[in-house]
């Protein structure tokens, strides 16, 4: 008997996990994840770039968006009230508008994780109660389908049922992890059970090809991680296994515009070599597949994800981390492509689409790949997106949005004439998917900043913060990070509490930061410090130890691969992780952006300006301004006249905050000075 009790005790201890279950992704028990999440709220921004952005998010972005979505402009809450029978009227907004509301709730939760303002939970509880009343008895919830007679359930995959469901699952899991409450989670479970009964063990007929914007895969994995009920993981896996095995042809549930490569159904993912189709659909799908692979460890899926990630970042991504080169185009299988990927190296600037959601999804996909592989290149992309093509989607003030994020804007050039591409930021966009997607990302960056590793902690992203968490062995660790990154390259991390035994601190050395130095208590470490890797410092850390990372912050001129015809003989300016642009307010009045050239010998110097555009480093340097009358499609090259002007370059993310302007990231270079 004694033996049995002892055995039982040993067994229970061996099963006891110190891993953290309240991360953005709860991968605490995911056997195939190398970098695990810290609990939300364990990293708090203190000062500097992300602290400033979070403050704007807390004070303006989230409350302002709440006013929009719960009021008559955004109409999202109204839709739930109408579906619940609490209000008269018609559904307004896109078919995926419920999902946008769930994303805003998720953003509110990330704010609450940091500030613990109970008013946020009370307010959200009121909305959850309305959502609950809108939910059908069998668990179905989609306010547009429920309130419009001519629409019926699963009548067209473009109605975004799976998308709304997926965002519901994710948002409800986050709400549950942060508040400990189950009121929202219960709604998600009821819906997921409905979805399970509809699709398992095998969907019938046209449902085999169902699914459009498949956020339900990510959501179902998170629901599995929250409830431990394996059926949700099985359902997530089913949606992956179904894709790519049906004949590609228009049907009642899938119009000719939304089939084939457009929705990643031409090739089963395990065989896919190139990222295709709608960029948001593709990247949400890949992110979901990465979540499933984190649980199952299936090699074929991981290999496919490796190929797809590399195809995106090496051959289809903009210098800003943005994805989805075109609004309308065609795949190599001649399927119509909407808001999506083009061929490799085909990178137009004026007509670049780069939906904010696609850029955000690129960072979400990369965060999951970081978990699977623990390699710094994935965090490099997360950072590239965050500082550039994500933040470009919202004004410095926090109230005006961009949906598309081109790399050049000329008022005489590309005229999109549609409702997603603008040259001036918009206070509301009828297709509102991007704003809450971006705001939930800005509010959760602190959860991405660190990961827990086998015997330590990895610093993925830099910014002034305090980390108070537990390592995977259950020991307490507290770090204080002080830095003026990304404007300065020095980061100082002080150990405030740690276990006595040796453990690792991993510092990401960004891909651009060759020549970085790492010091412990002022002494250069023995380990080699290489860009594109994590430097691992293993030692017996003690309170007061100071770890210093010094990254070179030279202004760099980038060029594109010669196969990118659209940037041949042009340069982009980058300093640290921040990509710069030249913009009308920093040029003589009336200058045409197409007349700006950059002398290769121009001396470019950075200056920190605390009062400009929320506090940024600008770069100054001479440019050449050409007087070109631009007559004729082709003309003899003659009469080249230039003026020299000392121009200011601003971070790309901060453009379009000073009135209507033209802008360009890539600038044609001229030899000489
Ligand atoms: Zn979007």
């Amino acid at each position: 008997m004694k033996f049995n009790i002892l055995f039982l005790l040993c067994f229970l201890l061996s099963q006891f996990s110190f891993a953290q279950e309240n991360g953005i992704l709860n991968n605490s028990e995911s056997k195939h994840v190398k970098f695990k999440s810290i609990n939300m709220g364990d990293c708090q921004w203190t000062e500097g770039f992300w602290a400033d952005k979070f403050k704007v998010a807390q004070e303006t972005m989230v409350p302002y968006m709440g006013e929009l979505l719960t009021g008559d402009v955004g109409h999202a809450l109204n839709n739930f009230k109408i579906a619940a029978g609490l209000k008269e009227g018609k559904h307004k907004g896109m078919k995926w508008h419920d999902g946008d509301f769930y994303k805003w709730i998720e953003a509110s939760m990330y704010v609450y994780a940091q500030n613990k303002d109970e008013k946020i939970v009370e307010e959200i509880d009121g909305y959850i109660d309305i959502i609950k009343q809108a939910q059908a008895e069998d668990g179905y919830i989609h306010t547009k389908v429920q309130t419009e007679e001519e629409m019926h359930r699963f009548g067209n995959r473009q109605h975004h049922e799976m998308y709304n469901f997926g965002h519901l699952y994710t948002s409800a899991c986050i709400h549950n992890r942060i508040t400990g409450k189950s009121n929202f989670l219960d709604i998600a479970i009821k819906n997921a059970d409905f979805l399970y009964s509809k699709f398992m063990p095998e969907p019938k007929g046209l449902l085999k090809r169902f699914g459009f914007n498949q956020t339900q895969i990510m959501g179902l994995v998170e629901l599995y991680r929250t409830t431990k009920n394996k059926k949700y993981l099985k359902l997530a896996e089913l949606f992956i296994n179904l894709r790519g095995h049906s004949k590609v042809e228009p049907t009642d549930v899938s119009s000719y515009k939304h089939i084939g490569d457009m929705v990643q159904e031409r090739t089963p993912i395990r065989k896919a070599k190139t990222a295709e189709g709608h960029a948001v659909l593709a990247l949400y799908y890949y992110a979901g597949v990465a979540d499933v692979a984190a649980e199952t460890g299936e090699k074929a899926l991981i290999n496919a994800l490796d190929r797809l990630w590399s195809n995106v970042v090496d051959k289809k991504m903009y210098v800003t981390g943005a994805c989805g080169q075109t609004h309308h185009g065609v795949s190599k299988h001649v399927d119509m492509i909407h808001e999506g990927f083009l061929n490799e190296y085909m990178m137009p600037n004026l007509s670049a689409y780069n939906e904010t959601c696609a850029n955000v999804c690129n960072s979400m996909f990369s965060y999951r790949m970081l978990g699977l592989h623990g390699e710094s290149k994935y965090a490099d992309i997360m950072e590239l997106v965050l500082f550039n093509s994500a933040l470009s989607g919202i004004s410095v003030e926090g109230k005006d949005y961009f949906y598309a994020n081109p790399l050049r804007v000329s008022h005489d050039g590309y005229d999109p004439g549609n409702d997603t591409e603008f040259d001036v930021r918009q206070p509301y966009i009828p297709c509102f998917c991007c704003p809450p997607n971006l705001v939930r990302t800005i509010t959760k960056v602190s959860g991405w900043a660190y990961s827990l590793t086998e015997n330590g902690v990895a610093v993925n992203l830099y910014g002034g913060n305090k980390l108070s968490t537990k390592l995977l062995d259950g020991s307490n660790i507290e770090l204080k990070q002080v830095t003026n990154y990304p404007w300065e390259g020095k980061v100082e991390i002080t150990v405030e509490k740690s276990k006595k035994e040796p453990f690792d601190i991993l510092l990401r050395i960004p891909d651009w930061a060759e020549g970085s130095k790492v010091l412990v208590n002022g002494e250069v470490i023995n380990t080699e410090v290489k860009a594109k890797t994590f430097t691992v410092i293993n030692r017996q850390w003690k309170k007061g130890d100071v770890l210093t990372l010094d990254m070179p912050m030279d202004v760099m001129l980038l060029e594109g691969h010669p196969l990118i015809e659209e940037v041949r003989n042009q340069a982009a300016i980058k300093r640290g992780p921040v990509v710069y642009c030249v913009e009308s307010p920093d040029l003589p009045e009336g200058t045409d952006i197409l007349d700006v050239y950059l002398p290769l010998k121009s001396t470019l110097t950075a200056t920190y300006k605390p009062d400009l555009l929320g506090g940024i480093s600008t770069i100054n340097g001479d440019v050449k301004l050409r007087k070109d009358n631009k007559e004729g499609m082709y003309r003899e090259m003659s009469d080249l006249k230039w003026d020299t002007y000392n121009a200011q370059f601003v971070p790309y993310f901060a453009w379009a905050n000073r009135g209507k302007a033209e802008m360009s990231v890539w600038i044609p270079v001229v030899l000489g000075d």
Side-chain angles (χ1 to χ4, degrees):
M1 187 65 188
K2 253 186 188 170
F3 173 81
N4 281 348
I5 289 172
L6 200 65
F7 178 80
L8 186 69
L9 265 174
C10 288
F11 175 77
L12 284 175
L13 271 174
S14 72
Q15 294 298 299
F16 193 76
S17 168
F18 292 100
Q20 306 190 17
E21 299 195 319
N22 294 325
I24 291 168
L25 304 178
N26 176 8
N27 47 25
S28 56
E29 292 178 24
S30 311
K31 290 191 185 65
H32 306 281
V33 170
K34 290 188 175 127
F35 274 34
K36 308 230 171 184
S37 305
I38 55 167
N39 276 347
M40 289 175 280
D42 281 3
C43 172
Q44 302 263 338
W45 300 121
T46 48
E47 57 182 10
F49 188 90
W50 287 114
D52 293 347
K53 287 292 166 213
F54 184 82
K55 189 166 184 281
V56 177
Q58 176 181 252
E59 291 174 2
T60 307
M61 291 179 193
V62 175
Y64 170 72
M65 192 175 289
E67 279 172 36
L68 286 176
L69 291 174
T70 60
D72 293 335
V73 176
H75 212 265
L77 187 65
N78 287 348
N79 293 336
F80 284 101
K81 285 182 180 167
I82 294 163
L86 302 170
K87 187 179 171 80
E88 295 282 313
K90 265 183 80 68
H91 182 285
K92 282 188 197 161
M94 300 293 173
K95 301 170 191 90
W96 46 91
H97 209 38
D98 295 357
D100 301 337
F101 193 58
Y102 301 140
K103 277 182 272 181
W104 172 75
I105 292 179
E106 192 186 331
S108 304
M109 284 299 104
Y110 295 133
V111 171
Y112 173 72
Q114 297 261 322
N115 72 12
K116 295 290 173 195
D117 179 354
E118 294 300 331
K119 282 199 221 89
I120 296 174
V121 179
E122 281 168 34
E123 183 192 351
I124 299 296
D125 269 352
Y127 304 145
I128 292 170
D129 190 48
I130 294 165
I131 294 168
K132 187 180 175 186
Q133 293 180 65
Q135 186 170 34
E137 201 50 52
D138 63 1
Y140 182 89
I141 183 163
H142 185 296
T143 60
K144 189 155 177 90
V145 172
Q146 286 171 292
T147 56
E148 300 209 348
E149 268 178 32
E150 65 272 22
M151 291 175 78
H152 56 276
R153 293 178 179 192
F154 301 101
N156 185 324
R157 60 186 181 183
Q158 221 260 333
H159 291 167
H160 284 72
E161 278 148 313
M162 308 287 200
Y163 175 88
N164 286 348
F165 295 174
H167 283 303
L168 167 64
Y169 307 156
T170 301
S171 186
C173 287
I174 296 295
H175 177 268
N176 170 260
R177 285 173 203 164
I178 292 175
T179 65
K181 293 175 152 215
S182 63
N183 48 342
F184 201 18
L185 185 65
D186 290 342
I187 297 171
I189 290 172
K190 194 171 171 185
N191 180 268
D193 289 345
F194 160 80
L195 193 65
Y196 186 90
S197 66
K198 186 87 186 162
F199 280 82
M200 289 295 257
E202 204 185 336
K204 294 173 193 75
L206 295 176
L207 283 188
K208 281 183 198 301
R209 270 179 78 199
F210 216 78
F212 184 77
N213 203 344
Q214 304 204 82
T215 64
Q216 86 279 11
I217 300 175
M218 279 182 289
L220 283 165
V221 174
E222 229 47 63
L223 209 54
Y224 157 67
R225 289 164 169 170
T226 304
T227 62
K228 316 287 185 220
N229 190 336
K230 211 154 191 170
K231 74 182 203 182
Y232 303 124
L233 178 63
K234 289 275 166 215
L235 184 57
E237 216 172 357
L238 175 88
F239 288 120
I240 296 170
N241 296 342
L242 286 175
R243 209 105 197 122
H245 294 286
S246 295
K247 193 170 176 200
V248 175
E249 58 185 2
T251 67
D252 289 348
V253 301
S254 49
S255 92
Y256 71 96
K257 286 188 198 167
H258 302 122
I259 59 173
D261 282 333
M262 164 69 187
V263 295
Q264 301 80 43
E265 64 170 357
R266 187 67 74 178
T267 315
I269 194 152
R270 291 173 181 86
K271 292 186 179 162
K273 293 193 175 96
T274 55
E276 301 294 344
H278 192 289
V280 177
L281 270 60
L283 292 163
Y284 270 145
Y285 181 36
Y286 305 156
V289 173
D291 284 337
V292 169
E295 299 305 319
T296 64
E298 189 194 321
K299 204 71 193 133
L301 282 185
I302 295 173
N303 290 344
L305 292 169
D306 290 348
R307 290 193 301 271
L308 292 166
W309 186 85
S310 152
N311 183 248
V312 170
V313 306
D314 294 333
K315 294 184 175 169
K316 296 195 173 189
M317 186 183 77
Y318 283 90
V319 70
T320 55
C323 289
Q325 299 108 300
T326 192
H327 195 164
H328 299 291
V330 71
S331 76
K332 59 184 175 195
H333 295 111
V334 203
D335 291 322
M336 280 180 73
I337 299 298
H338 175 62
E339 305 183 314
F341 289 111
L342 286 173
N343 289 355
E344 293 165 355
Y345 297 124
M346 199 184 275
M347 312 296 295
N349 290 310
L350 278 171
S351 62
Y353 196 66
N354 295 340
E355 177 178 347
T356 305
C357 280
N359 311 339
V360 165
C361 291
N362 189 20
S363 65
M364 292 168 68
F365 176 32
S366 295
Y367 179 58
R368 285 155 172 83
M369 296 301 280
L370 175 71
L372 283 173
H373 293 301
E375 291 175 32
S376 66
K377 63 181 182 182
Y378 302 108
D380 287 344
I381 297 298
M382 290 158 57
E383 177 176 81
L384 180 73
V385 170
L386 288 170
F387 280 123
N388 301 290
S389 52
L391 278 183
S392 58
I394 194 160
S395 63
V396 167
E397 193 199 358
K399 289 184 172 182
D400 297 302
Y401 314 108
F402 272 143
Y403 188 101
N405 297 275
L407 276 77
R408 181 174 294 146
V409 169
S410 158
H411 298 311
D412 296 328
Y414 177 67
D415 178 15
N418 60 57
D419 57 3
T420 50
E421 291 169 277
F422 314 102
D423 53 5
V424 176
R425 294 180 182 278
Q426 305 290 307
Y428 184 72
I429 305 172
C431 179
F432 204 65
C433 53
C434 298
N437 206 6
L438 175 54
V439 168
R440 73 172 175 159
T441 304
I442 294 169
T443 49
K444 77 178 174 193
V445 178
S446 59
W448 281 358
Y450 293 91
S451 292
L452 302 170
T453 63
E454 197 179 355
N455 183 32
V457 62
V459 191
N460 303 323
L461 302 171
Y462 299 108
N465 67 67
K466 271 193 162 209
L467 174 74
S468 176
T469 191
K470 283 187 192 325
L471 297 181
L472 292 178
D473 64 4
S475 61
N476 291 315
I477 180 166
E478 286 182 23
L479 301 177
K480 184 176 81 178
Q481 190 180 139
V482 177
T483 180
N484 198 18
Y485 191 81
W487 314 125
E488 291 171 22
K490 191 173 174 188
V491 177
E492 220 170 66
I493 297 172
T494 306
V495 176
E496 307 228 299
K497 188 186 270 186
S498 75
K499 64 176 178 179
K500 291 195 180 71
E501 297 77 24
F503 67 94
D504 303 334
I505 297 182
L506 286 74
L507 293 180
R508 181 178 61 92
I509 313 299
D511 51 3
W512 49 266
E514 202 61 73
S516 293
K517 291 192 182 70
V518 175
L519 300 93
V520 174
N521 299 329
E523 307 261 319
V524 177
I525 59 161
N526 291 327
T527 319
E528 192 187 3
V529 178
K530 270 171 61 183
K532 304 184 191 177
T533 63
F534 278 102
T535 292
V536 183
I537 305 120
N538 179 283
R539 56 178 264 130
Q540 249 177 330
W541 297 96
K542 60 179 191 309
K543 186 175 163 68
D545 280 346
V546 178
L547 179 57
T548 308
L549 168 63
D550 210 347
M551 293 171 272
M553 298 298 276
D554 304 325
V555 179
M556 293 186 287
L557 279 190
L558 304 186
E559 63 176 343
H561 188 287
L563 283 174
I564 311 172
E565 291 190 83
E566 294 88 341
V567 301
R568 279 182 74 91
N569 293 338
Q570 295 170 59
I573 297 170
K574 195 178 177 201
R575 182 171 178 268
V578 179
V579 175
Y580 282 75
C581 67
V582 62
E583 194 193 358
S584 303
D586 300 313
L587 295 167
E589 205 178 333
T591 302
D592 185 333
I593 205 75
L594 303 177
D595 283 339
V596 182
Y597 290 70
L598 183 68
L600 265 186
K601 288 187 184 165
S602 194
T603 306
L604 300 170
T605 48
T607 314
Y608 182 65
K609 295 185 179 165
D611 299 324
L612 182 64
L613 297 167
I616 53 166
S617 282
T618 60
I619 289 173
N620 271 75
D622 281 350
V623 294
K624 294 281 184 192
L625 303 178
R626 187 179 164 188
K627 297 266 186 287
D628 180 0
N629 61 21
K630 302 181 183 64
E631 281 173 4
M633 191 148 168
Y634 305 101
R635 55 260 165 90
E636 185 184 358
M637 194 183 281
S638 63
D639 200 23
L640 295 170
K641 292 203 184 87
W642 307 94
D643 285 333
T644 301
Y645 183 76
N646 190 266
Q648 172 175 272
F649 301 88
V650 295
Y652 169 72
F653 76 77
W655 95 274
N657 280 283
R658 295 173 288 169
K660 190 174 177 179
E662 295 188 325
M663 172 280 297
S664 189
V665 169
W666 290 100
I667 309 166
V669 293
V670 285
L671 293 172
D673 49 14

